[in-house]
Amino acid sequence: MSIDLRDIELLVAAVDCRSITEGAQAVGLSLSAASSRITALEKKHGVSLLQRLRSGVVPTEAGEVVLIQSRRLLEQADLLTSAFQQHQKTHIKLVSNTSAVDSLTEFLAATLNKYPELNVDLEEGSSSEVARRVREGTADLGVVSVLESRTGLEAHLLWEDPLMIVSTSAKTSVEALKGPMIGLSAGIPLQTYIDAHLERDGITPNYRVRLPTLSAVYAVASAGAGSAILPLGTTRRLGVRTKNVLPIEEPWAQRDAWMLVKEGRTLADVEKSFIDALLSFRDEES
């Protein structure tokens, strides 16, 4: 037999208040509706639950047993409701391309303390994958550096983030690309993007080492082991000297970071707060 939680709430409230009238008021029911519910509950299960005495309403022997389980059931229902609300209100699934992850890490470090209720699951993917996941609804928000299509998406410009060459010795980008290079590990979306465009330009880089993070790539390149291609935002975050940063004139290196939201999607309050904070961070950094 199914159990109506409203009946259970009424039963517990009536016993706690020692009055069906006051119990009905506690759960927002009229006295007639409350009396009908309790009578129907007792009839449905074939057991008397309450005694109406001059001193008030008290549970029968069977009612005492049912009351213990009823309180447990309501506690579990509260916990379940809290779990749903907690997840809905505080968790954001954010997907970003490699380049933007680096800038977003700095943003999150500055933002999470301001929003103690906020929890972010940050995942990395190529710009095309990020856009696809936002369109499909498997990600709440996305950040990309290459916006191939706005179809089904709302796009907000965040910041300019072109790719730059970092070198301690080369004087031009052409010279840097002909010499030894330091790159990201094969398969990382940003490195795949860079290699594909260098190949189209007829350039086969000589990678001395491939490393898993942009910070690690810079650490090795800054020691003079080779040149590296890094996003502008990364060079700023790491404090790379201006004299060691060379522009890449090719169109594929001229990129902007965009925040993506599924078109027409109703945003939760925590998502609105996150977007506002990210746009404020953009304005402060510009």
Side-chain angles (χ1 to χ4, degrees):
M1 297 182 182
S2 62
I3 299 293
D4 189 331
L5 283 181
R6 196 74 185 281
D7 292 341
I8 300 303
E9 289 176 336
L10 172 61
L11 177 64
V12 171
V15 172
D16 287 347
C17 296
R18 297 182 64 85
S19 165
I20 293 178
T21 300
E22 293 182 15
Q25 292 176 347
V27 297
L29 291 172
S30 66
L31 176 58
S32 59
S35 296
S36 296
R37 277 180 172 271
I38 290 176
T39 298
L41 182 65
E42 292 177 321
K43 184 176 181 180
K44 178 179 180 180
H45 295 281
V47 61
S48 177
L49 298 173
L50 300 177
Q51 297 182 70
R52 285 80 167 173
L53 305 177
R54 288 185 178 181
S55 58
V57 172
V58 297
T60 63
E61 182 176 348
E64 289 280 10
V65 176
V66 171
L67 195 64
I68 292 172
Q69 297 302 323
S70 295
R71 294 188 189 280
R72 291 176 180 172
L73 179 60
L74 291 177
E75 288 175 0
Q76 292 299 315
D78 286 342
L79 289 173
L80 182 59
T81 300
S82 178
F84 277 121
Q85 291 175 340
Q86 183 76 4
H87 184 77
Q88 291 172 347
K89 292 181 180 178
T90 66
H91 283 77
I92 292 177
K93 183 175 286 297
L94 173 66
V95 185
S96 170
N97 70 318
T98 309
S99 177
V101 163
D102 204 46
S103 296
L104 286 171
T105 300
E106 186 176 4
F107 158 71
L108 291 172
T111 301
L112 289 179
N113 284 339
K114 297 180 183 178
Y115 297 91
E117 79 284 0
L118 177 64
N119 296 287
V120 179
D121 295 327
L122 177 59
E123 298 180 10
E124 185 177 335
S126 65
S127 290
S128 59
E129 180 185 357
V130 172
R132 175 183 59 78
R133 291 187 60 182
V134 173
R135 284 191 189 97
E136 293 176 351
T138 57
D140 299 318
L141 303 172
V143 178
V144 301
S145 294
V146 178
L147 185 56
E148 297 174 348
S149 171
R150 295 182 184 229
T151 303
L153 299 170
E154 295 177 11
H156 303 266
L157 180 62
L158 293 178
W159 46 71
E160 294 181 353
D161 199 21
L163 294 174
M164 314 293 286
I165 293 176
V166 173
S167 176
T168 59
S169 58
K171 302 302 181 183
T172 66
S173 60
V174 174
E175 180 185 348
L177 293 173
K178 287 182 178 179
M181 298 285 291
I182 312 299
L184 288 164
S185 301
I188 291 179
L190 176 58
Q191 192 62 55
T192 300
Y193 176 87
I194 291 171
D195 289 344
H197 284 283
L198 289 178
E199 183 179 350
R200 290 173 190 171
D201 292 343
I203 300 171
T204 303
N206 172 27
Y207 289 112
R208 296 190 65 190
V209 63
R210 289 177 177 265
L211 299 159
T213 66
L214 292 168
S215 296
V217 169
Y218 170 67
V220 176
S222 65
S227 301
I229 296 178
L230 298 175
L232 177 61
T234 299
T235 68
R236 289 174 174 171
R237 182 179 67 82
L238 296 175
V240 182
R241 295 180 179 179
T242 304
K243 68 177 184 178
N244 293 334
V245 179
L246 303 171
I248 302 175
E249 302 299 337
E250 298 299 327
W252 59 266
Q254 313 311 310
R255 313 191 312 165
D256 296 314
W258 296 83
M259 181 181 60
L260 306 180
V261 182
K262 185 176 181 179
E263 191 173 46
R265 180 171 172 270
T266 301
L267 298 175
D269 289 342
V270 69
E271 293 172 323
K272 294 176 183 177
S273 296
F274 183 87
I275 292 172
D276 289 343
L278 185 54
L279 295 179
S280 295
F281 177 81
R282 172 201 66 186
D283 295 340
E284 291 171 3
E285 292 297 303
S286 61

